[in-house]
Amino acid sequence: GRLQTKRKRIIAERQRAILLHLLGLDEVDWPTLFEDVIKLYTNVKNPRKALIRDMNHLIALGAVGFRREQNERKEEGRLFLRARLEWPTEITETEFFKRVSTLPRAKEHVFVGR
């Protein structure tokens, strides 16, 4: 019953497409991933915000891992993302639905979006 609305089903389909894309890659930087998957968001009012929200949800669930590269001046550098292949063995169905219910809202971007 959690994906009964059309909006939730569409979001789930986009997130699944992102995960499938990441499974084909070892690791990808944020600008490259953005260019590769932004076409999934053609029917969205603000595609950039929707993609950031979806990536934050996948990171919060633990399905996607990330790392930031630091540059010489100790500033935040490029962001790299990857599918966490170990994730299915770490999470139960109950824990998954618990995490989904506590995901941040669109305006509470935690990791991506700078």
Side-chain angles (χ1 to χ4, degrees):
R2 287 170 169 74
L3 299 177
Q4 287 183 346
T5 67
K6 182 178 178 181
R7 180 180 178 270
K8 288 182 180 180
R9 280 192 303 271
I10 291 170
I11 290 170
E13 289 171 12
R14 286 194 310 246
Q15 290 176 349
R16 192 177 76 222
I18 291 168
L19 285 171
L20 288 173
H21 182 73
L22 285 172
L23 284 172
L25 306 167
D26 288 334
E27 192 175 63
V28 64
D29 66 336
W30 172 245
T32 303
L33 180 66
F34 183 88
E35 290 174 15
D36 292 347
V37 299
I38 196 66
K39 61 185 168 275
L40 299 170
Y41 295 84
T42 56
N43 296 328
V44 178
K45 183 177 177 181
N46 191 331
R48 183 179 180 277
K49 283 185 179 179
L51 175 56
I52 290 170
R53 180 203 57 228
D54 288 348
M55 288 306 302
N56 282 321
H57 285 181
L58 291 170
I59 290 169
L61 284 173
V64 173
F66 74 98
R67 70 176 175 87
R68 282 204 184 266
E69 210 177 57
Q70 283 191 342
N71 60 21
E72 306 82 42
R73 294 175 285 176
K74 305 284 183 184
E75 296 173 348
E76 287 185 357
R78 293 178 15 193
L79 177 71
F80 291 91
L81 300 147
R82 65 178 176 82
R84 293 189 62 243
L85 301 178
E86 63 277 6
W87 179 68
T89 63
E90 298 173 352
I91 193 164
T92 63
E93 186 176 348
T94 305
E95 179 66 20
F96 172 78
F97 287 119
K98 182 179 171 185
R99 286 188 191 179
V100 167
S101 68
T102 61
L103 286 174
R105 300 292 175 227
K107 296 190 186 244
E108 300 172 5
H109 300 304
V110 179
F111 300 102
V112 182
R114 295 176 189 183

